């Protein structure tokens, strides 16, 4: 099946085509009089780079192997399917910066990037991306990202048990902002540095995890941190330093320590 994303530029409009079947990614890039052909693009890639100033429509599960590079200025827009997700099986290289983050958002969000065919222009009616980004290897350092309107923003899989970090990031209007899965009694340890979590049902949920928030701001949140699996007998904890909780209804069932 051929799907398309409108590519405006220099008075010429073309279609960036992708043969994706029921799932996959479409890509478009703004440029004067350029039509990009992605006919061989499919839902599994190795050593893939999300390019800057390019909009990607994630309509199904996209499995990425070896090193995935996320460039500043890349915009990933997710469909409302429960399978719309980017899964990184290997290292993630965030080639992003303070003035040039990568953005993960709903396909209905027309405020950034190329407008996706089928967009309603209203990203507030549902969640898109479940999760937006799933990490399956340990030791990843994610930074300068904005994730919005996702059912789950970031998911650190049990296979990523070990240490990881998220810094200079925003998670806005996500059902659950971050999921942390340990591997049985092996903990996932996550450092959150200069991170904003806004308008979320649950900021952090998972099991066998330890999270450290430094300059973490959580605003308009139902539950701060929740343990969802008691089978392993592990103690989950969230340490906070120089952090703010504003309009947080409940701290949840996880130990929160200053």
């Amino acid at each position: 099946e051929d799907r398309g994303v409108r590519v405006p530029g220099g008075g010429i409009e073309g279609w960036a085509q992708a043969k994706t079947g029921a799932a996959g990614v479409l890509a478009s890039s703004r440029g004067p009089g350029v039509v990009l052909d992605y006919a061989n693009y499919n839902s599994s890639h190795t050593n893939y780079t999300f390019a800057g100033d390019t909009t990607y429509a994630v309509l199904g599960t996209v499995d990425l192997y070896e090193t995935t590079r996320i460039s500043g200025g890349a915009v990933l827009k997710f469909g409302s399917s429960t399978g719309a997700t980017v899964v990184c099986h290997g290292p993630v290289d965030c080639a992003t910066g303070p003035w040039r983050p990568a953005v993960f958002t709903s396909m209905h969000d027309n405020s950034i990037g190329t407008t996706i065919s089928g967009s309603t222009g209203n990203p507030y009616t549902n969640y898109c991306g479940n999760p937006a980004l799933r990490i399956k290897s340990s030791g990843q350092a994610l930074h300068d990202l904005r994730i919005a309107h996702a059912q789950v923003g970031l998911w650190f899989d049990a296979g990523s048990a070990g240490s990881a970090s998220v810094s200079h990031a925003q998670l806005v209007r996500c059902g659950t902002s971050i999921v942390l899965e340990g591997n049985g009694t092996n903990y996932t340890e996550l450092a959150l540095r200069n991170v904003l979590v806004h308008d979320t049902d649950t900021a952090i949920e998972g099991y066998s995890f330890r999270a450290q928030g430094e300059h973490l701001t959580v605003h308009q949140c139902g539950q701060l941190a929740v343990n969802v699996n008691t089978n392993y007998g592990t103690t989950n904890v969230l340490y906070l330093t120089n952090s703010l909780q504003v309009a947080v209804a409940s701290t949840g069932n996880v130990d929160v320590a200053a």
Side-chain angles (χ1 to χ4, degrees), residues 13-28:
E13 288 192 336
W15 286 92
Q17 297 289 342
K19 292 184 180 295
T20 63
V25 176
L26 315 179
S28 69

Side-chain angles (χ1 to χ4, degrees), residues 131 152-157 160 176-181 188 190 203-207 209 228:
V152 176
L154 288 171
W155 189 310
F156 290 85
D157 194 271
S160 69
T176 298
S177 294
I178 299 172
V179 171
L180 299 176
E181 289 184 338
T188 289
L190 179 67
I204 301 172
E205 75 170 40
Y207 58 91
F209 71 81
V228 297

Side-chain angles (χ1 to χ4, degrees), residues 34-177:
V34 176
V35 178
L36 301 180
D37 182 8
Y38 285 84
N40 293 323
Y41 207 97
N42 57 54
S43 58
S44 178
H45 303 273
T46 300
N47 290 321
Y48 189 74
T49 295
F50 289 104
D53 301 320
T54 302
T55 297
Y56 299 84
V58 181
L59 306 178
T61 299
V62 179
D63 288 294
L64 302 176
Y65 297 91
E66 301 299 334
T67 299
T68 298
R69 184 179 177 89
I70 303 174
S71 302
V75 178
L76 284 72
K77 295 189 175 185
F78 292 81
S80 57
S81 165
T82 56
T85 181
V86 171
V87 183
C88 295
H89 295 264
V92 178
D93 175 18
C94 286
T96 51
W99 306 109
R100 197 164 167 78
V103 176
F104 297 66
T105 189
S106 165
M107 67 170 286
H108 303 294
D109 183 358
N110 297 344
S111 68
I112 191 168
T114 301
T115 297
I116 301 300
S117 178
S119 169
T120 65
N122 183 1
Y124 292 93
T125 57
N126 58 13
Y127 291 116
C128 297
N130 189 25
L133 184 60
R134 186 164 190 162
I135 304 299
K136 296 182 74 69
S137 60
S138 64
Q140 304 312 307
L142 308 181
H143 62 87
D144 297 289
L145 304 175
R146 175 182 169 87
I147 301 175
H149 309 296
Q151 181 64 51
V152 176
L154 288 171
W155 189 310
F156 290 85
D157 194 271
S160 69
S163 62
S165 67
V166 177
S167 58
H168 312 301
Q170 299 177 352
L171 294 107
V172 177
R173 195 187 166 268
C174 296
T176 298
S177 294

Side-chain angles (χ1 to χ4, degrees), residues 162-221:
S163 62
S165 67
V166 177
S167 58
H168 312 301
Q170 299 177 352
L171 294 107
V172 177
R173 195 187 166 268
C174 296
T176 298
S177 294
I178 299 172
V179 171
L180 299 176
E181 289 184 338
N183 189 352
T185 57
N186 295 319
Y187 282 85
T188 289
E189 299 188 355
L190 179 67
L192 297 164
R193 303 186 181 101
N194 190 29
V195 173
L196 169 67
V197 176
H198 168 67
D199 190 10
T200 185
D201 294 333
T202 304
I204 301 172
E205 75 170 40
Y207 58 91
S208 299
F209 71 81
R210 300 186 186 102
Q212 172 73 54
E214 300 172 6
H215 302 286
L216 169 67
T217 298
V218 181
H219 179 238
Q220 293 183 7
C221 170

